[in-house]
Amino acid sequence: MEISGLISAVLIGFVIGAVGRFVVPGRQHIGILWTLVVGIAAALIGTALAMVLGVANTDGVDWAEWLIQIGLAALGVAALSRMDRLS
């Protein structure tokens, strides 16, 4: 992966993680680094899932892919926040 690809992954991961965190109601007890990690993972897994479902490459904005990624990020943020409260 080139440096531009890495920077893009981090930026997209940050946006996906932030939106996923915004979607989860209440206060989340995880830091910005975990939000970034969850966002990057959600972006990568969401893209793969969108490819399997056949909605990854469409004309215009890939809304279905974004919704999958944001949903996965919200699940990840909620899971990490819940794990932090349990420990």
Side-chain angles (χ1 to χ4, degrees), residues 51-65:
M51 290 174 75
V52 168
L53 296 174
V55 295
N57 296 319
T58 60
D59 293 334
V61 179
D62 297 325
W63 293 109
E65 183 177 1

Side-chain angles (χ1 to χ4, degrees), residues 5 9 14 22 25 30 43-44 47 54-57 67 78-79:
F14 182 74
F22 180 74
I30 63 171
L44 294 172
T47 298
V55 295
N57 296 319
L67 288 174

Side-chain angles (χ1 to χ4, degrees), residues 9-65:
V10 168
L11 290 176
I12 291 170
F14 182 74
V15 170
I16 294 293
V19 173
R21 188 173 179 152
F22 180 74
V23 170
V24 177
R27 181 175 167 91
Q28 293 80 42
H29 301 282
I30 63 171
I32 194 75
L33 182 62
W34 280 113
T35 302
L36 178 63
V37 170
V38 167
I40 292 171
L44 294 172
I45 295 168
T47 298
L49 187 58
M51 290 174 75
V52 168
L53 296 174
V55 295
N57 296 319
T58 60
D59 293 334
V61 179
D62 297 325
W63 293 109
E65 183 177 1

